[in-house]
Amino acid sequence: GDKAKHPFITTDFAECQVEIGTEVCSNPDQVYDQLENLHDIVSTTVSVENPEAEYLWPISNPPLILSEPEIPVAIFRGESHDKQVYREYLSQKYGKKIMLYCGIHYNFSFDERLIFRLHQLQGRADDIQFIRSEIYLAMAKNCYLYSWFPVLLTAASPVFHESFMDAGEPVGGGRFLGFSSMRNSQYGYWNQKQIILDYHSIDTYINSIVDTVRRGELYTSSEFYSPVRLKPAGKYLMKNLRRDGVNHIELRMFDLNPLDKNGMSKADMELMEYFLLYLSTLPDFDFTPEWQRISYENHIRSAAYDPTSVEIVMPEHTETLQAAALRLLDEMTEFFTEIDVPQALPVLEKARERVEDPEKLYSHQVYRAIEEQGYIPFGIQ
């Protein structure tokens, strides 16, 4: 049907990039099951509707690219044509190749009954949307400060095809530049210069994005490429965010995991839920321009293939990426033990095993598989 109107299946930047979105679900089991159903619908449809075999490419880095001009920008007609115009603008500004990175956006929100109860406990007389926005704004700051953690645990794109970039050492018909995740590295999909926002309130946050668009640095708020976004219900427009407040938080740093059929394992969905729950209890803080720059640099560094080779700078300490992740897992384990959520502990323990032994990280498993099978054969298999 019409990709501009379909509730779950649409097209991202290129005509060949399928985008699948689930409904809002109440737990990771439901998300995973629905994602699997949608994945099956797409993969079986493309396999039977086309004369030649066609598959969903499972790696965040693109497959063989014949030439950049042949990358087809997604076609949108009629009232949705502005989507195509926007994509053509992006291809002129950033080039088409970099737009072919794929990944997963993980959206999270609290049950509205919890927000209502917090509003009630604080004895507030203002509209409930204000406390909701405050909660997510504080979470967004902590998510950005700790964004290196999801990158380390879910990075899965260390090797890229030689047609994507002429750099790096050869590995199985692909290339390697020392990163666990190309799209989270310095070669990833970032704004041409870092956008610094004012996080003092939701209004100053919105105003700083609007000002960036007015100055012509961004075409629209959608061009703000941050690992973390605050989203309204419905379309991602600043007028909707200002009128209705924040509806949910979006994390955008997850690679597709080619070792899992659906691109993200259920265990990682659970781990990120516990990660976000823990972050929501951390104190609010002043996310100054300096800390935004440090957080951005931490994020880039966290895409290193060797987690012991780079350091993460945090307010209280500077240590290796591996040590910082183990420290955070210790804090989370203590927290979920204290509030008696035993089901979190095995999930955190599995994450700890991967951090302690980097050979168990997805990026290392994918690297070895590509080394043995070759980049294209591994992706197709």
Side-chain angles (χ1 to χ4, degrees):
D2 185 349
K3 63 186 156 206
K5 294 178 181 174
H6 198 288
F8 306 118
I9 304 165
T10 183
T11 308
D12 197 22
F13 169 78
E15 188 62 27
C16 51
Q17 277 177 302
V18 177
E19 181 176 314
I20 298 170
T22 71
E23 293 176 303
V24 179
C25 300
S26 59
N27 58 60
D29 286 334
Q30 290 180 7
V31 179
Y32 193 83
D33 289 348
Q34 190 173 125
L35 191 59
E36 182 153 44
N37 289 337
L38 291 165
H39 178 278
D40 288 348
I41 289 166
V42 171
S43 57
T44 53
T45 303
V46 297
S47 69
V48 300
E49 284 196 348
N50 298 293
E52 294 181 46
E54 192 168 338
Y55 307 100
L56 287 179
W57 182 250
I59 307 172
S60 280
N61 299 334
L64 185 150
I65 299 166
L66 293 176
S67 71
E68 193 156 1
E70 288 184 87
I71 297 168
V73 173
I75 298 163
F76 287 88
R77 296 189 173 91
E79 60 188 30
S80 303
H81 184 63
D82 59 325
K83 293 176 181 284
Q84 184 175 335
V85 173
Y86 175 53
R87 284 157 172 74
E88 286 163 353
Y89 156 82
L90 293 175
S91 66
Q92 292 296 317
K93 185 170 181 178
Y94 297 95
K96 289 182 177 180
K97 280 187 178 181
I98 205 165
M99 308 301 293
L100 294 186
Y101 282 129
C102 292
I104 285 187
H105 293 172
Y106 182 105
N107 299 299
F108 178 87
S109 60
F110 290 109
D111 190 300
E112 193 67 3
R113 289 170 297 179
L114 174 64
I115 307 291
F116 177 79
R117 185 71 179 123
L118 290 168
H119 189 263
Q120 200 177 41
L121 285 168
Q122 291 188 16
R124 292 173 61 145
D126 58 358
D127 192 277
I128 195 169
Q129 79 173 51
F130 295 108
I131 188 173
R132 191 194 307 114
S133 293
E134 288 166 17
I135 290 165
Y136 290 126
L137 183 65
M139 272 184 79
K141 291 186 273 187
N142 277 304
C143 281
Y144 203 159
L145 186 66
Y146 285 90
S147 71
W148 44 266
F149 180 77
V151 175
L152 170 64
L153 269 299
T154 61
S157 60
V159 179
F160 54 95
H161 194 262
E162 52 199 14
S163 63
F164 183 67
M165 190 189 303
D166 186 17
E169 61 181 68
V171 178
R175 301 285 181 85
F176 175 68
L177 277 168
F179 301 112
S180 59
S181 168
M182 284 292 290
R183 58 189 281 276
N184 284 293
S185 76
Q186 66 202 60
Y187 295 101
Y189 192 10
W190 299 98
N191 294 117
Q192 290 175 338
K193 70 172 189 176
Q194 188 186 0
I195 307 295
I196 301 294
L197 301 181
D198 185 337
Y199 283 87
H200 284 104
S201 71
I202 193 62
D203 278 332
T204 61
Y205 173 87
I206 293 167
N207 291 343
S208 51
I209 294 178
V210 171
D211 288 345
T212 309
V213 175
R214 282 179 179 156
R215 289 195 301 270
E217 293 175 39
L218 302 178
Y219 182 86
T220 170
S221 55
S222 296
E223 197 191 335
F224 171 47
Y225 303 132
S226 167
V228 182
R229 274 185 185 170
L230 294 171
K231 304 290 285 284
K235 285 189 174 181
Y236 181 53
L237 299 172
M238 291 302 105
K239 66 179 182 182
N240 291 350
L241 196 58
R242 198 185 298 278
R243 183 190 66 218
D244 303 327
V246 183
N247 177 264
H248 61 277
I249 190 168
E250 178 188 57
L251 274 61
R252 302 159 53 83
M253 69 284 283
F254 302 101
D255 275 354
L256 293 174
N257 181 358
L259 307 173
D260 188 278
K261 172 185 171 181
N262 300 324
M264 188 176 195
S265 72
K266 193 185 297 182
D268 286 337
M269 293 180 188
E270 291 170 343
L271 176 63
M272 289 306 116
E273 183 175 45
Y274 295 130
F275 170 69
L276 289 167
L277 286 170
Y278 174 67
L279 292 191
S280 71
T281 70
L282 296 183
D284 197 359
F285 66 100
D286 185 4
F287 200 30
T288 62
E290 181 190 6
W291 273 107
Q292 289 178 57
R293 281 187 279 270
I294 291 170
S295 298
Y296 170 79
E297 288 161 8
N298 283 341
H299 187 102
I300 297 282
R301 280 197 293 269
S302 70
Y305 187 73
D306 177 6
T308 66
S309 68
V310 291
E311 290 196 324
I312 296 300
V313 179
M314 295 295 281
E316 296 85 20
H317 39 74
T318 298
E319 55 196 344
T320 67
L321 173 60
Q322 183 186 53
L326 291 172
R327 180 192 293 270
L328 179 59
L329 284 165
D330 283 344
E331 292 170 3
M332 289 168 67
T333 300
E334 185 181 343
F335 172 76
F336 286 108
T337 302
E338 192 177 311
I339 65 167
D340 193 24
V341 183
Q343 64 269 34
L345 303 184
V347 176
L348 297 173
E349 185 54 38
K350 283 282 186 191
R352 171 180 289 283
E353 289 173 13
R354 288 180 8 227
V355 175
E356 286 179 335
D357 180 7
E359 286 302 306
K360 292 180 179 175
L361 293 170
Y362 302 141
S363 54
H364 288 240
Q365 294 179 53
V366 170
Y367 180 96
R368 288 198 305 275
I370 290 171
E371 196 175 32
E372 291 169 14
Q373 300 174 40
Y375 184 72
I376 298 294
F378 168 72
I380 290 173
Q381 181 272 324

